[in-house]
Amino acid sequence: MTIIVTGGAGFIGSNFIFYMFKAHPDYRIVCLDKLTYAGNLSTLSTVMGKPNFRFVKADICDREAIFKLFEEEKPEIVVNFAAESHVDRSIEDPGIFLQTNILGTAALMDACRKYGIKRFHQVSTDEVYGDLPLDRPDLFFTERTPIHTSSPYSSSKASADLLVLAYNRTYGLSVSISRCSNNYGPYHFPEKLIPLMIANALNNKPLPVYGRGENVRDWLYVEDHCKAIDLIIHNGRVGEVYNVGGHNEMKNIDIVKLICKELGKPESLITYVADRKGHDMRYAIDPTKIHEELGWLPETKFEDGIKKTIKWYLENREWWETIISGEYKKYYEKMYGDRK
């Protein structure tokens, strides 16, 4: 079995590659990544030497490169993690999000159509549903919740989802979609909430919190997410959407305070900053469908997962300090620039 994993040098994509090598050691995994600011080739250093692993530096919008890769590898499954994914960046520059997240997805599916893959899986987000009110803890996102986006990022992901489903209906392409809640765990890029707070706290820097930090997110440990995708691509129904949630709702401010406590840092480091434009208040996923159909449930409680995550960042300071310094961008040229 050959699987192409796009965006595999990013946070969730790299964890998925590690998981798949453990779960399916005989699979051939081809990682395609543009290595933008959020892609870090050094993350994949432990698998680079495997005979059944290949890394290809390319943009999913580059149709010539994509079709060439499909011609060479003849993949059975494609899992698309590749996306611009930071809400604040999408507010500043929406164009690149539309280009990568919509047109890039279309290019991948066109290659899938030509080369007859068994499954194209789109990794999406619960943000396509918009948000839920804080005073209605009984409400959750289901697969039937209408799309109601708040940012250019979530709009681009929702557009891609609709395109994926259209390719299934129009062309008969074998597709599936997963919409996940906020992931956390090892190799999370330091601009995101949890790793940013860990890094800043360790360096005794201010911990910037939007508004009053009352926004609620459903946190999913990244390995649990990877297990869900593995189940979907092998056993999930074609043309279906599966919500993948952690059953771990937490206020942002409570997470920041928890990180301070775990690291022995004072809460006086917390600094409240002007709120994000169109900031969603609450995300909460109902994962009943994937549980009933595929037997998946999140296995990692937040109090355990956050301790594992903090421990990982303490033990791998070089990884994230290199990213913060910008040195990681040189890794590709040093270690891989002359390889194809």
Side-chain angles (χ1 to χ4, degrees):
M1 177 79 76
T2 297
I3 297 181
I4 289 180
V5 178
T6 70
F11 165 45
I12 307 177
S14 61
N15 275 280
F16 180 71
I17 289 172
F18 301 147
Y19 175 80
M20 291 299 284
F21 271 129
K22 287 191 297 183
H24 309 280
D26 57 331
Y27 280 16
R28 175 169 173 79
I29 298 179
V30 179
C31 172
L32 177 125
D33 200 295
K34 186 181 178 181
L35 294 181
T36 59
Y37 75 96
N40 186 351
L41 192 63
S42 66
T43 300
L44 299 172
S45 60
T46 58
V47 299
M48 291 294 277
K50 288 182 174 291
N52 54 337
F53 178 77
R54 178 187 177 190
F55 176 82
V56 177
K57 184 177 185 292
D59 186 341
I60 60 171
C61 296
D62 185 344
R63 286 177 170 265
E64 183 178 351
I66 296 300
F67 278 66
K68 180 175 181 288
L69 179 62
F70 276 62
E71 176 68 36
E72 292 170 353
E73 293 291 348
K74 303 292 193 302
E76 285 94 341
I77 296 174
V78 176
V79 182
N80 182 30
F81 292 94
E84 296 287 342
S85 65
H86 196 270
V87 173
D88 288 339
R89 290 177 183 266
S90 81
I91 293 171
E92 293 298 319
D93 182 15
I96 186 63
F97 285 74
L98 308 183
Q99 182 79 20
T100 299
N101 297 357
I102 303 173
L103 298 181
T105 300
L108 289 170
M109 290 193 295
D110 286 338
C112 289
R113 288 175 57 210
K114 179 175 181 179
Y115 292 98
I117 56 91
K118 293 180 179 178
R119 176 68 62 94
F120 174 83
H121 182 76
Q122 174 75 358
V123 181
S124 188
T125 170
D126 60 357
E127 294 190 43
V128 302
Y129 297 124
D131 63 353
L132 297 166
L134 292 177
D135 60 354
R136 288 294 305 276
D138 56 311
L139 295 180
F140 295 87
F141 296 138
T142 73
E143 290 81 1
R144 292 195 178 99
T145 300
I147 286 175
H148 188 69
T149 59
S150 303
S151 69
Y153 161 61
S154 58
S155 296
S156 68
K157 292 295 288 185
S159 300
D161 286 3
L162 294 174
L163 195 61
V164 170
L165 295 175
Y167 267 62
N168 169 246
R169 180 164 181 172
T170 302
Y171 303 113
L173 186 66
S174 177
V175 306
S176 51
I177 297 172
S178 56
R179 292 173 179 158
C180 67
S181 55
N182 284 38
N183 280 220
Y184 69 103
Y187 299 106
H188 204 175
F189 196 77
E191 72 181 354
K192 303 292 186 174
L193 176 69
I194 289 177
L196 176 64
M197 296 302 141
I198 294 172
N200 280 17
L202 287 173
N203 289 316
N204 297 306
K205 292 183 177 180
L207 308 179
V209 175
Y210 282 127
R212 302 306 301 172
E214 296 295 315
N215 308 71
V216 173
R217 299 294 181 261
D218 175 16
W219 291 94
L220 175 66
Y221 193 65
V222 65
E223 188 173 55
D224 288 342
H225 184 196
C226 295
K227 292 177 182 178
I229 295 173
D230 184 23
L231 284 169
I232 294 169
I233 61 177
H234 288 99
N235 303 312
R237 288 186 290 145
V238 171
E240 292 293 318
V241 175
Y242 292 91
N243 282 353
V244 185
H247 278 314
N248 283 307
E249 288 187 56
M250 294 280 291
K251 290 182 181 180
N252 288 347
I253 187 61
D254 291 337
I255 288 177
V256 177
K257 289 180 178 179
L258 178 59
I259 290 171
C260 288
K261 181 180 178 181
E262 288 292 324
L263 294 175
K265 298 294 182 177
E267 291 184 7
S268 58
L269 289 174
I270 297 172
T271 304
Y272 295 99
V273 299
D275 208 353
R276 169 191 289 161
K277 296 177 182 178
H279 201 173
D280 290 335
M281 292 308 299
R282 173 177 172 254
Y283 301 149
I285 274 184
D286 178 358
T288 298
K289 179 177 177 178
I290 190 172
H291 173 59
E292 291 183 346
E293 291 191 14
L294 303 177
W296 180 89
L297 279 176
E299 299 175 14
T300 308
K301 295 180 180 179
F302 186 80
E303 53 265 34
D304 299 326
I306 193 65
K307 289 180 180 179
K308 287 198 291 185
T309 300
I310 291 172
K311 183 174 184 290
W312 187 89
Y313 277 87
L314 285 170
E315 294 175 350
N316 293 272
R317 289 188 69 133
E318 184 179 1
W319 181 85
W320 55 266
E321 286 178 343
T322 299
I323 290 176
I324 292 173
S325 72
E327 287 296 310
Y328 79 104
K329 295 176 181 178
K330 299 177 183 177
Y331 184 89
Y332 177 80
E333 294 304 323
K334 182 177 75 172
M335 300 298 292
Y336 211 70
D338 60 345
R339 296 172 63 181
K340 303 297 182 184

